[in-house]
Amino acid sequence: MKNIVTLLLLVSALAFSSCDLELKPYNAIPEDEALQTPQDFANMRVGLYSPLKGMNGGGYYSAMDIQCDNFNAVEGFSNNYGDFYRWQFNSSNSTVEAIYGNYYGLIARANYILYWADKINYTENENFTEEDVEAVDRILGECYFIRAYCHFGLAQYFCDDYEEATADAPNSGVALVTKYEKPTSDNTKYIGRSTLNETFDQIEKDLDMASLYITNEGTVGDAYINAATIDAFSARVALARD
């Protein structure tokens, strides 16, 4: 019996001594290895487009439509969006929080790609062919467009309508996040709100950058951002600022 116990202890000791405490998570990669190859950028591009469909439906539009004067709830409506119908919602409302958080989450994704493209100097990187550089150029253009799109959406939902007389008022715009920063729980690290003029200036600047990288006109049913997309959205921004 004594020999068996000794053997078990020896096996246990060997098992623990052979454990590699430096193993990386199987479902994640280190941040500094996330964007290194052309395929990495192509994979990350999926994360730019996947949220866009949701941002063009659901609560992004339903909640606001329900606030309209001509909307009347019917018997048995189950109080869906009832706080919007009664104008009793606040900043802690789950729909409000989701819209706000999702816009900034997508901005963070775009900034992350822009940050790493600059960090690895992809235009001079020997691992990137001329075709790879062109593909990444397009992705960067999409990042600039999406950042403009999200800042504009935030301005539409969380700012007053543009009025030239009040557009330079402090905190009249949104917090403009234009560079990647690691997440932190320290709220003193987060920037404050801009003026509404600064918000629209940044949106227009990003659209100009997007047009430098994306020049193809696209085709009918094109699933990706193209030059026509940028022109159409630029017109919408100009109308909102008029």
Side-chain angles (χ1 to χ4, degrees):
M1 181 68 180
K2 182 178 180 181
N3 291 337
I4 295 175
V5 172
T6 302
L7 180 61
L8 289 175
L9 290 174
L10 179 61
V11 170
S12 298
L14 289 173
F16 280 111
S17 65
S18 64
C19 289
D20 185 355
L21 300 181
E22 300 300 321
L23 286 176
K24 299 175 182 178
Y26 68 88
N27 61 346
I29 58 177
E31 180 184 336
D32 58 358
E33 297 177 13
L35 285 170
Q36 299 293 318
T37 69
Q39 188 59 49
D40 290 338
F41 281 89
N43 293 340
M44 191 69 73
R45 185 191 198 195
V46 176
L48 294 177
Y49 280 93
S50 56
L52 283 178
K53 183 177 180 179
M55 289 179 173
N56 286 277
Y60 288 82
Y61 291 91
S62 299
M64 276 50 77
D65 287 345
I66 289 171
Q67 293 175 249
C68 296
D69 291 339
N70 292 328
F71 183 91
N72 290 292
V74 297
E75 185 177 358
F77 81 111
S78 303
N79 199 37
N80 289 327
Y81 293 113
D83 44 359
F84 285 92
Y85 176 63
R86 296 185 298 272
W87 283 76
Q88 293 177 338
F89 60 93
N90 54 40
S91 60
S92 64
N93 174 277
S94 60
T95 300
V96 173
E97 288 183 335
I99 291 173
Y100 188 87
N102 289 344
Y103 272 129
Y104 277 114
L106 187 50
I107 288 172
R109 294 187 187 189
N111 285 339
Y112 185 79
I113 295 174
L114 292 169
Y115 169 80
W116 277 104
D118 180 65
K119 190 174 180 64
I120 68 170
N121 192 16
Y122 74 99
T123 57
E124 304 295 333
N125 193 309
E126 61 182 12
N127 295 322
F128 287 71
T129 66
E130 183 176 342
E131 291 75 18
D132 292 333
V133 170
E134 291 178 358
V136 175
D137 279 346
R138 182 184 175 97
I139 294 172
L140 298 192
E142 293 166 342
C143 288
Y144 283 113
F145 177 89
I146 286 174
R147 195 167 72 183
Y149 180 88
C150 291
H151 279 137
F152 180 76
L154 287 163
Q156 294 293 285
Y157 288 125
F158 298 102
C159 299
D160 291 335
D161 289 341
Y162 185 90
E163 296 288 346
E164 188 174 355
T166 58
D168 284 318
N171 302 320
S172 56
V174 301
L176 297 171
V177 183
T178 57
K179 63 179 181 178
Y180 172 71
E181 299 284 0
K182 292 184 179 181
T184 175
S185 59
D186 184 357
N187 60 10
T188 64
K189 301 293 185 181
Y190 290 91
I191 61 174
R193 296 179 66 163
S194 63
T195 69
L196 198 53
N197 263 333
E198 290 170 338
T199 294
F200 274 92
D201 285 345
Q202 182 62 50
I203 292 168
E204 292 172 356
K205 179 180 178 181
D206 280 341
L207 289 174
D208 287 341
M209 289 296 297
S211 66
L212 291 178
Y213 286 101
I214 300 175
T215 57
N216 66 300
E217 292 298 329
T219 58
V220 175
D222 196 344
Y224 297 97
I225 297 161
N226 53 52
T229 310
I230 299 170
D231 288 342
F233 189 70
S234 295
R236 183 180 176 188
V237 171
L239 181 63
R241 199 175 191 179
D242 186 8

